[in-house]
Each structure stands twice: as C-alpha cells, then as structure tokens.
Amino acid sequence: MGVCSSRRLDRVAPPAARSSEEITPRNEQGSALPNTTVPSAPQGVVAPSNALTEADNPPLDQLNRQLTKALKAGKVDQVRALLDQGAELERRGMWDNTPLHLACHYGHSSIALELLQRGASPAAVNEKGCTPLLYACVESMEEVVEKLVELPATEINPPAAPVYSRLTDQTTKRTPLFAAAENGAAPIVALLLRKGATAGAQALPLAAAQGHTAVCVTLLQAMEQQRDLENVTCIGKALLQATRGAHVDAARALLAHRPAAEDVGAALLAACNLGGSGATKPDSKTPGHCPRESLVELLCTRTESLGVHDEEGNTALHLAAKRGLADAAQVLVAAGANLGLLNSKGETAADLAESFGHSQLSSLITSYGGTGHTGSSNVNTVANSTTASSLKSTGLADDHVASNHFDSPASLKPRAQLPPLHGGGCEATQRLEATTAALAASPHVGSFSEAQRTLPPIGAVTSH
C-alpha cells in the first residue's frame, strides 16, 4: 500500500522591509537603473504631493468673494490677479450686480476700463434696472463713458432707474443723460447727445437746479437742433429752478432763450421769496449785490411779466414790500411795476410794507404814486399756462405759487414820472437799462451757439 504523502503548502514569506535610506527602481532583469535613486521620506513622514494645495488653488466662490472686495476697494492689481486665477468676469452678486456694475458704482475708472478690456458686458442690467453706463454717468467717469458708448451693446437711452447721487444725497430715478446733467458733467452730456441720447428738455431743469450753466447751454443747443416741441415749457421750468437755487448765470443763459412771460413772472415771484445765505451772500460778479437782487434785476428786463401774481394776488412788488426788500422794490418800480395793483385782500404793495413794519419802504412806494386804493384792482387777468397743477405734475411746484396770473396790458396803470431812486441817483434804472441791453444783444435759440458766451454782469453800471 502506497504511502499517501500530503502536499505541503509553502507559505510565501513577506517581502523584506525596504531600506528607509533609498528606493531603487530596477529593470526587468533585476538590475538597478542608473541614476534613478529616489530618496525616501523618513519613517512616519508623509511625502509631499505634486498637487496644488487649496491655498494655491482656492475654490471659485472664494475667488469671487475676493474679487468683490478688491473691486470695492479700488485695488486694480488685485483685480487683475484674481481674474487671472479664474474669478468670474460676469459673476452676479448682491442686487444682481456684475463686477463692471461695482467698478462704475464705486467710481473706479481704471478697474472699469480693465474689465471692459477683458470683455465685460456693458449691457448688463441689475435688479434695480441700472446699467454700468448709468453708474458711470452718476460718478462723472468721462473716460469710461467714452469707452462704453462706443460699444454696440451699450444702451444709450435705457429706462430711468433709481440711483443714489452724492451731489443731491437722494435716490431718484435717472437716465444716463439725466444723471450727467444733474452732476454738471458737460462733456459727458455732449457725448451722450452726439450718440443719440434723447429727452434733453427734461434734463434741462435738473442742470438748472444745480446751477450748471455750461450744461444748460449744451442742452439748449441740442433742443434747438432737434426741434424739440417741449423747448418753451422746459425752459420756463428750468428758469424757475435756477432762480430757486439762486443761480444767476444759469438764469441769464435761460432767459436769453425767451421763455414765456408767465414763466418769467413765476421766476420773479420766486426771486422775491428767496431767503437764506445762498440768496443773500455777496455776489462776486456784481459787487454790492446779492444773488437775489441780481435775479430780480435780470428778470425785470421782461417787463411784460411784472403783473404775474400768486394765488393770493401778490405781485413781485407786493412780495418785496412785504419782506422789506428795498433794493428789489426799487428795481421793480424802475421797471414799471403797477404800484396801485391790489391783491386778493385789497392791499397794495405800500399797504403790505406798512403792515409788516417797513414804514420807510411804504412811504417810498407811496411817493412814487403807489397809494393803493386809487390804483387798479386785480381784474382783467387771464390764466397763466404755468398753473399749480402743471408745476406739481413735474415736481417743480413751489409752496407759495398755487396759480400765477398776469395782468393784461390794458389793466396796468401807466407809470407817472417817478422821483429819483436812491435819493437823487438813478442807479436802479441804469442797471436795468444795462441788463436789458445785454440781453437784447445776446442771441437766443436760433443762433445761441457759443457755450462760453456770457452777458455783462448785472449791475456793472456807474451811477450818476
């Protein structure tokens, strides 16, 4: 019987531990490959990986957050570096703003230009309806606007959108043209108009309210070229805004374009109601005058507007007498104001001056023939097209002007020969004559083409 031998299963011994000194690659025959010894890591130490760490390759969200911070801070070098690392050029953030929105909103021209150079879209609209062009106009970023308007995707006339202005400290709806006009950016206004911006007539009161004379002239020229049918109405509104802001130069430029007599009268009432330091501080261009006096002189050159009155029947002379504005009252008298016109309470200008404690002014007006009840009453008036409803519909209404009227020429009392003004002199009359002559010599809508044209300073006349 044969002996049955059992098969022995040889165990495979574990491989000997490799030296910690080196790992030697070998070829198929087992020979060591020359010059390929790679040092091994010390025992217990993990060998470094060739892959980039998170610090070297941050997540996309982190890059975008860093980009937003750099945009707001105006750090153009950081913006470039982050975009090079992969931050998104069209990433939408808070309020749906793109990086280009932020650069323009914060007024960082160099960053905005860098983004445009990299292909940022100028057509992006955030959730408030604002475009990069609107923000650039608010911040008067002329170079950025020049770049934006050359891009086909830029909308020159987008719908008005709410935007904050540091100039007015208000958030109001503006178009790019409105924002540039309000901020006094005349070169941007001219550029937008050349590129097809519309509604220049509506932008005019915004520029006038801030006293931006150069912008007013630029808009007036464009309105004349475009044959804008709103010209006359908007010139009147702008004149009222310039007067309320005590902006003499802007008012002078607007008056040269012949606004309606009713609108000039409304501005004259506003001039006589001006108060505060802005209206009474010395006028650098007319020594011895304040803006209020200069405006009254300027507006009095349109003598057909002297009979315009407010809802209480008060003319400019009534208001000047009531407030004790002797210089304004004398200019109004010299211009031919009706001294005997009664307001709705049956009072003359002299009566009002007396009742408000200005006895000397009352006596002066009376000496000119303004005895009150012997004059004409407030009859034969016709409705002014610049009514309270029309003013309020445009947001331009003044509290004291609910409705203005003007007297027909037939109702005005002919002015008798007046005693000399200023106790023997004729300064007020001379100032009026000089201002009238200057306005008559200045071209208006048809040929007013020189933006730098200015009239001689009001009051620059030597008294005799």
Side-chain angles (χ1 to χ4, degrees):
M1 185 171 174
V3 178
C4 209
S5 62
S6 63
R7 179 180 297 176
R8 188 180 64 179
L9 299 177
D10 295 330
R11 294 191 178 187
V12 179
R18 287 180 286 186
S19 170
S20 63
E21 297 298 326
E22 60 178 23
I23 300 173
T24 305
R26 299 179 181 273
N27 59 19
E28 293 179 355
Q29 288 74 31
S31 301
L33 296 175
N35 301 323
T36 55
T37 300
V38 180
S40 62
Q43 189 172 1
V45 177
V46 178
S49 170
N50 290 329
L52 293 174
T53 65
E54 185 173 310
D56 297 318
N57 187 20
L60 186 57
D61 284 346
Q62 183 178 341
L63 282 174
N64 289 330
R65 287 195 299 271
Q66 292 174 353
L67 178 63
T68 298
K69 291 180 180 179
L71 285 165
K72 292 180 178 181
K75 298 180 178 179
V76 63
D77 290 337
Q78 287 188 20
V79 169
R80 290 193 187 103
L82 289 165
L83 290 171
D84 289 341
Q85 291 182 59
E88 294 176 287
L89 187 63
E90 299 294 338
R91 173 77 172 185
R92 296 282 181 152
M94 185 177 292
W95 310 120
D96 219 18
N97 284 318
T98 65
L100 184 58
H101 276 106
L102 289 179
C104 294
H105 181 65
Y106 283 89
H108 301 313
S109 294
S110 58
I111 294 179
L113 292 172
E114 175 71 22
L115 295 173
L116 289 170
Q117 182 67 30
R118 290 173 179 257
S121 173
V125 179
N126 67 15
E127 69 178 38
K128 295 181 180 292
C130 299
T131 63
L133 179 62
L134 174 57
Y135 285 140
C137 289
V138 170
E139 296 300 323
S140 299
M141 301 165 71
E142 186 175 345
E143 191 176 358
V144 175
V145 172
E146 289 177 353
K147 179 67 174 177
L148 285 168
V149 298
E150 295 300 329
L151 298 174
T154 300
E155 174 59 61
I156 303 295
N157 293 299
V163 65
Y164 173 77
S165 170
R166 287 196 296 268
L167 177 68
T168 62
D169 194 27
Q170 292 179 341
T171 297
T172 46
K173 284 190 173 183
R174 294 287 181 258
T175 66
L177 180 63
F178 290 1
E182 188 171 50
N183 287 341
I188 292 179
V189 169
L191 179 60
L192 292 172
L193 290 170
R194 288 197 300 271
K195 292 297 181 178
T198 57
Q202 297 176 39
L204 186 62
L206 297 174
Q210 303 300 327
H212 301 313
T213 306
V215 173
C216 288
V217 172
T218 299
L219 290 168
L220 287 165
Q221 293 171 355
M223 289 159 57
E224 190 271 333
Q225 293 169 3
Q226 296 170 0
R227 306 294 181 186
D228 194 330
L229 297 179
E230 293 184 279
N231 278 359
V232 175
T233 300
C234 286
I235 291 172
K237 293 174 183 177
L239 179 62
L240 184 59
Q241 292 293 75
T243 302
R244 288 174 178 167
H247 303 305
V248 180
D249 287 341
R252 185 182 294 114
L254 292 160
L255 194 64
H257 284 71
R258 305 299 297 174
E262 299 90 341
D263 294 329
V264 178
L268 185 56
L269 292 175
C272 290
N273 269 306
L274 282 176
S277 60
T280 57
K281 65 182 180 182
D283 191 337
S284 60
K285 295 185 178 181
T286 53
H289 283 58
C290 66
R292 180 177 59 208
E293 295 169 3
S294 297
L295 284 165
V296 171
E297 287 185 7
L298 177 68
L299 296 167
C300 277
T301 60
R302 292 286 299 276
T303 56
E304 70 272 27
S305 66
L306 293 172
V308 174
H309 59 79
D310 62 15
E311 62 180 346
E312 296 178 351
N314 290 318
T315 65
L317 183 58
H318 281 93
L319 297 177
K322 178 180 177 179
R323 300 187 63 198
L325 306 177
D327 286 342
Q330 291 183 37
V331 170
L332 289 162
V333 170
N338 190 341
L339 307 179
L341 194 64
L342 307 179
N343 64 13
S344 60
K345 296 181 179 179
E347 300 167 311
T348 65
D351 294 335
L352 275 178
E354 183 67 35
S355 62
F356 279 85
H358 311 300
S359 300
Q360 187 175 0
L361 178 56
S362 176
S363 299
L364 181 63
I365 295 174
T366 301
S367 70
Y368 293 155
T371 55
H373 304 291
T374 60
S376 60
S377 63
N378 55 354
V379 295
N380 298 322
T381 60
V382 294
N384 182 355
S385 59
T386 312
T387 60
S389 59
S390 65
L391 287 174
K392 288 180 180 178
S393 68
T394 58
L396 300 177
D398 201 343
D399 293 338
H400 73 277
V401 181
S403 63
N404 299 321
H405 300 276
F406 65 91
D407 291 279
S408 62
S411 70
L412 294 177
K413 178 184 177 183
R415 182 163 58 92
Q417 184 65 38
L418 300 179
L421 297 175
H422 291 298
C426 54
E427 181 182 352
T429 303
Q430 291 181 50
R431 291 201 305 263
L432 274 171
E433 291 173 350
T435 304
T436 303
L439 284 170
S442 68
H444 35 87
V445 174
S447 58
F448 194 84
S449 58
E450 298 179 31
Q452 284 71 35
R453 177 183 289 274
T454 57
L455 300 177
I458 300 172
V461 180
T462 304
S463 60
H464 296 293

